Amino acid sequence: EGEARTRGVVGDVAIGLALIYLLLGPIASAVKETVATALKPRGRQLRDGLAALIAGNGTDAMNNPLFQAVFQHATVQGIAGNGLPSYVSARNFSTALFDVLSGRTQAPLLGQFEAAIAALPPGAAKTSLSALLSQAGGDIDKFRASVETWFDDAMDRLSGVYKRFNHYFALALGLAIAIVFNVDTITVAKTLWADPDKRAAIVAVASGAAAPGEPDPAADIIRRAQAAQSQLDGLQLPIGWPVTAGQTIPGAIWGKISAADGSGVWAVVGWLTTALAVSLGAPFWFDLLQKLFNLRGSGPKPARADEAA
């Protein structure tokens, strides 16, 4: 019985923490969307990646004439009104490159490409395109396929860089939210573990947030998180900064970190745990909440008939 009770407490604490992370998820998503709209990080990375592919990693890559001509080509720009497309297909890139390299004369197309590539200044584009043209053996379709593979390989590397950037940015944003709202996972977990009333109250709130609802997951999560937030306000969880008169929030943060009893170390660990959890996103915690409630509602696994014997 004691073991079953402990499992129940652990499950309820997990549900409470999942709900808190779910509430913070839409805040992180809104900030990320605002930053992405303002700074266009994906478009900038695509532009820089194309510049490195065509002109190398030099400081003057952006001014390379071949890069400028290809990047400003209609098939690359598409409908990007700000001049920073978020995605370019390999086919559109090869079309833009071939159009720029063609002399638009009556000479055979491969001959035009050879002349244009030979006239390029020494650099990444000339070296790569010369090698690809030589491997094509006079087959223009093979040359196009090689150019598109060259482009796709570069974009795969660029995608890896962008994913790492997104991961680190999500962690940094999660940490900022954890500190600003003072959501210390360790302190919250200890409070829920020790206080059955708070535990029961937060599970009741979470049951509404995890209930099946509208077909649009994003809108559903945001609406449910806002509703749960209004209910959480009365639970008196150790979240937020109880700033005293004459004290600022930065002062309260520093006071908590530099506490003489060494508790500041655990506060930082708690904030980092919250940051990692928030970086997973609200959809993750919405799905996990539903699974936790399904598991909670199923009860303990019945004993096998042969176990009694």
Side-chain angles (χ1 to χ4, degrees):
E1 184 180 349
E3 184 181 349
R5 181 182 178 280
T6 301
R7 284 201 301 267
V9 173
V10 170
D12 289 351
V13 171
I15 287 172
L17 291 175
L19 175 64
I20 292 170
Y21 301 147
L22 172 62
L23 297 177
L24 298 177
I27 301 173
S29 298
V31 174
K32 284 177 67 177
E33 186 67 27
T34 301
V35 171
T37 301
L39 301 182
K40 305 290 188 300
R42 185 175 180 85
R44 292 177 187 276
Q45 284 207 328
L46 176 61
R47 179 196 62 192
D48 295 347
L50 281 176
L53 178 68
I54 294 174
N57 293 310
T59 56
D60 207 35
M62 291 293 175
N63 297 321
N64 181 278
L66 180 60
F67 162 71
Q68 287 288 343
V70 171
F71 190 68
Q72 297 300 329
H73 197 277
T75 58
V76 170
Q77 286 294 315
I79 59 173
N82 56 10
L84 289 173
S86 297
Y87 173 78
V88 177
S89 69
R91 188 70 178 182
N92 284 358
F93 171 77
S94 65
T95 299
L97 180 64
F98 283 13
D99 187 44
V100 171
L101 291 177
S102 66
R104 304 192 183 188
T105 66
Q106 298 301 317
L109 201 54
L110 266 177
Q112 297 180 44
F113 291 160
E114 288 176 350
I117 293 171
L120 291 174
K126 184 172 185 176
T127 301
S128 300
L129 291 174
S130 296
L132 295 176
L133 186 61
S134 175
Q135 291 175 2
D139 186 335
I140 193 168
D141 291 330
K142 188 175 180 180
F143 180 48
R144 177 184 284 274
S146 297
V147 168
E148 291 177 0
T149 300
W150 174 53
F151 173 81
D152 280 336
D153 289 343
M155 290 302 103
D156 286 343
R157 293 192 297 271
L158 190 65
S159 295
V161 172
Y162 187 70
K163 286 177 181 177
R164 286 194 296 273
F165 165 79
N166 261 346
H167 177 67
Y168 294 140
F169 179 74
L171 282 175
L173 179 58
L175 181 59
I177 291 173
I179 294 174
V180 168
F181 290 92
N182 189 23
V183 183
D184 173 355
T185 290
I186 294 176
T187 300
V188 172
K190 286 181 177 179
T191 301
L192 291 175
W193 182 274
D195 193 327
D197 293 335
K198 283 185 172 62
R199 208 164 54 238
I202 200 169
V203 168
V205 174
S207 65
E214 293 113 22
D216 181 1
D220 191 46
I221 288 170
I222 292 172
R223 183 184 65 78
R224 292 177 184 276
Q226 289 172 339
Q229 177 66 75
S230 64
Q231 293 174 289
L232 270 177
D233 289 340
L235 295 180
Q236 299 180 345
L237 290 172
I239 295 175
W241 291 102
V243 180
T244 59
Q247 185 183 34
T248 62
I249 290 182
I253 294 172
W254 176 246
K256 185 168 184 175
I257 294 175
S258 59
D261 60 359
S263 60
V265 174
W266 290 109
V268 172
V269 173
W271 289 334
L272 288 173
T273 305
T274 302
L276 181 61
V278 172
S279 70
L280 296 175
F284 173 87
W285 294 109
F286 181 74
D287 291 341
L288 183 60
L289 259 185
Q290 289 187 316
K291 291 176 182 176
L292 286 172
F293 270 104
N294 288 338
L295 184 63
R296 188 174 186 266
S298 64
K301 182 179 178 180
R304 290 170 53 93
D306 57 0
E307 284 182 359

